[in-house]
Amino acid sequence: MSLANNAVGFRFNPTEAELACHYLYNKVMGLPLSCPYIVQDYDLYGHEEPWQIWENFGEHNNTTSDDEDDDEVEAGPSPQDDLFFFTNLRKINRGMKSSKFDRGVGSNGGRWHGDDVHSFHSKGITWNRRRYCYKNPNIGTPDASWIMLEYSLDDSLMQNVPHYTVLCRIRKKSNKNCSRKRKSSQSSSQLEPKRQSKKLNSKLRTPPIKEKKLFM
């Protein structure tokens, strides 16, 4: 079921604690969700690239974000679109006690590269958040970049569950605005030394010497 089937004017704008302690916790523990079709089940580590996932689900997306996580997930009055999914992580070495998961995505060498893990404790539940960026050395510079925030429960809560399920929040960020900002900052920085040199030259100029006529 698509998000477009929700009530007119509805916006899904949860806090991070609500995502982890209600949606993810209830999903993992088999408890009912208040809005079961908002966060959809989908294999984010399958054969589809992030832009293909965005094309499939982003058209009817009806979500809003106001978190102040980092430069990629910005706060502000204008709403920004996010996609929310439940996905199961796959360990690199199946059947072995390993905590490393396969972060490969698509079929062209792309991977999600993560930052440090941040842990939180809300409503008696310990949960983690980690930020990922999609990188692929086999493609050129794309017009957009994909950022993913992954919410997971503490390992103590995942002992007796069949799948290691996490909640992922994906955002598309345009690289065109970034390049424009870089160009404008570079052009302004290049103009500044010229202005300063003009000021220095004006200060260093010596006034013309007036000849004095001597009357005998």
Side-chain angles (χ1 to χ4, degrees), residues 14-31:
T15 64
E16 293 190 315
E18 290 170 341
L19 286 174
C21 300
H22 176 75
Y23 288 93
L24 179 59
Y25 182 83
N26 286 20
K27 176 69 174 180
V28 170
M29 299 302 168
L31 301 174

Side-chain angles (χ1 to χ4, degrees), residues 25 27-30 153 155 157-165:
Y25 182 83
K27 176 69 174 180
V28 170
M29 299 302 168
L153 299 180
D155 289 340
L157 300 172
M158 306 296 292
Q159 299 296 327
N160 300 318
V161 295
H163 304 287
Y164 200 103
T165 304

